[in-house]
Amino acid sequence: MNITAKDLLKIKPLIIAGPCAVESKEQITDIAKKLHQMGVKVLRCQLWKPRTDPTSFQGIGLKGLAYLKELKDKYGFLIATEITDKDQINQTKGVVDILWVGSRNMQNYELLKALGKDNRPVILKRGFISTISEWMGAGKYIGLGKVILCERGVRTGADSMRFTLDINAALVAKYDHKIPVIIDPSHTAGRSDMVPKLAYAGIAAGADGIVVEVHSHPEKALSDASQQITPKVFKELLDKVNAIYKIIHLKESSDISWVNPAKSANKKTRTRLSLAVVDRVGILKDILTVFADFDINLNKLESHPSKNKQWDYYFEVEVESGANEPRLVQALNILKKLCPSIKILGEP
Ligand code: PEP
Ligand code: MN
């Protein structure tokens, strides 16, 4: 059974990570294990590399498919790979879950038509000198229902980085054309130090996810060495992207009311809260996860039936954080989605 684009987008945010290319069995196995430990579900890794210079590394081709199959079976990864030729559509069946079209092939219409006949989801990267309507036109050849667009930077008069991340286009594609969009900060930047910052910008703008190049030893990479980030940098990026995504996609459903305004923002301060909930399986786990995500320790938790008919019960909790600390403010903003009423009872 193929995964559909709709299923894929249930991974929120959609994080796709991996090296620019499969270089050897050892290289892909090592980085895949590290990414799996960080919770990455979709592995990017290219077998075929369209390169400007014919003498540079061209990818290991079909030989790498067996390595990917092993990692898929071992870790349950979904595998995403760029295809550069119609024949690769059939050759990758049974291993590659998500096919993608690279920037240089966005207008290879015979390839797009062939992809239209396959039922796997397709990531369609934007041609780096393509307009929005050319991008959408390319998507229609494949079938927009199974397309996830990828903004990877365009060539403009601005030459501050390798390409210019066109957030405007990503917003128009997502909000006007209603097609899911992910951001590729790696190829946009062309330099590793800027990759996290561009990833945050993309997620903050409302993108559905990111695709990031990660390599255990970027300095030794056979392609795109300057922009691949280490697993350590990626872990930090991942935590921040998840936090930004939560804030951006927060649906305001209640107001926070202050019973006793906070006395201080002292880090050692504790804060008592009352969180009203409508009963459902897993609600307590969801609330505790939000506190854990923001590194907030709980000292006390009591559950009380509610006299108010609007909700079933409320949790009285005492957390190890000042009421004005940014991490608690952010956690409460997310908890607003889960709790119809939140009261800050004060700092004991
Ligand atoms: C890639 O994702 O590895 C790649 C080559 O990107 P692009 O097609 O955007 O240049
Ligand atoms: Mn690359």
Side-chain angles (χ1 to χ4, degrees), residues 54-289:
T55 62
S56 55
F57 175 62
Q58 301 285 308
I60 67 169
L62 270 184
K63 187 177 141 202
L65 213 51
Y67 312 154
L68 299 181
K69 173 86 170 79
E70 217 175 294
L71 295 168
K72 181 186 169 86
D73 292 344
K74 184 162 180 194
Y75 296 120
F77 278 123
L78 292 166
I79 305 286
T81 295
E82 172 174 354
I83 50 134
T84 53
D85 181 281
K86 279 196 280 187
D87 292 344
Q88 295 159 2
I89 300 177
N90 274 333
Q91 288 166 348
T92 56
K93 271 195 179 139
V95 179
V96 176
D97 304 279
I98 303 139
L99 298 168
W100 95 48
V101 178
S103 191
R104 287 153 192 82
N105 271 317
M106 192 207 85
Q107 286 181 302
N108 179 343
Y109 295 114
E110 291 309 313
L111 183 64
L112 304 181
K113 279 186 218 167
L115 282 164
K117 295 190 189 121
D118 192 274
N119 52 13
R120 284 170 283 179
V122 177
I123 292 177
L124 178 62
K125 292 191 117 181
R126 181 177 176 198
F128 52 74
I129 49 164
S130 298
T131 62
I132 273 274
S133 63
E134 287 162 349
W135 198 12
M136 295 305 133
K140 285 180 199 159
Y141 272 91
I142 299 167
L144 287 174
K146 60 182 189 191
V147 162
I148 296 173
L149 299 171
C150 177
E151 164 57 36
R152 47 80 72 211
V154 287
R155 198 167 270 171
T156 67
D159 62 354
S160 49
M161 289 188 215
R162 190 170 170 204
F163 294 96
T164 300
L165 182 62
D166 188 359
I167 295 263
N168 302 23
L171 293 177
V172 169
K174 181 170 164 68
Y175 295 106
D176 291 353
H177 294 272
K178 314 253 180 287
I179 319 287
V181 178
I182 59 172
I183 298 287
D184 175 349
S186 306
H187 291 86
T188 301
R191 45 186 274 197
S192 55
D193 59 335
M194 295 295 177
V195 167
K197 296 168 180 60
L198 290 170
Y200 307 149
I203 292 293
D208 297 284
I210 47 172
V211 52
V212 184
E213 286 189 345
V214 192
H215 195 291
S216 293
H217 306 284
E219 71 289 352
K220 293 190 191 146
L222 299 182
S223 56
D224 285 341
S226 62
Q227 73 199 28
Q228 303 209 52
I229 59 172
T230 60
K232 186 165 173 260
V233 172
F234 178 69
K235 175 72 178 83
E236 193 185 328
L237 176 157
L238 195 57
D239 291 345
K240 289 191 184 162
V241 158
N242 281 326
I244 297 168
Y245 185 89
K246 279 185 188 164
I247 291 167
I248 295 301
H249 294 268
L250 165 78
K251 287 200 181 55
E252 305 272 330
S253 63
S254 66
D255 283 322
I256 297 175
S257 65
W258 289 72
V259 175
N260 288 319
K263 288 179 207 121
S264 78
N266 181 340
K267 282 215 160 76
K268 295 207 179 73
T269 315
R270 288 161 295 152
T271 302
R272 283 190 308 117
L273 305 164
S274 160
L275 310 173
V277 291
V278 176
D279 198 15
R280 70 163 166 82
V281 173
I283 182 69
L284 178 58
K285 179 177 150 281
D286 289 350
I287 290 174
L288 296 180
T289 304

Side-chain angles (χ1 to χ4, degrees), residues 307-322:
K307 294 190 187 92
N308 183 322
K309 288 213 173 65
Q310 281 174 279
W311 43 82
D312 300 313
Y313 51 95
Y314 62 94
F315 294 121
E316 237 180 76
V317 296
E318 188 181 284
V319 292
E320 271 180 26
S321 165

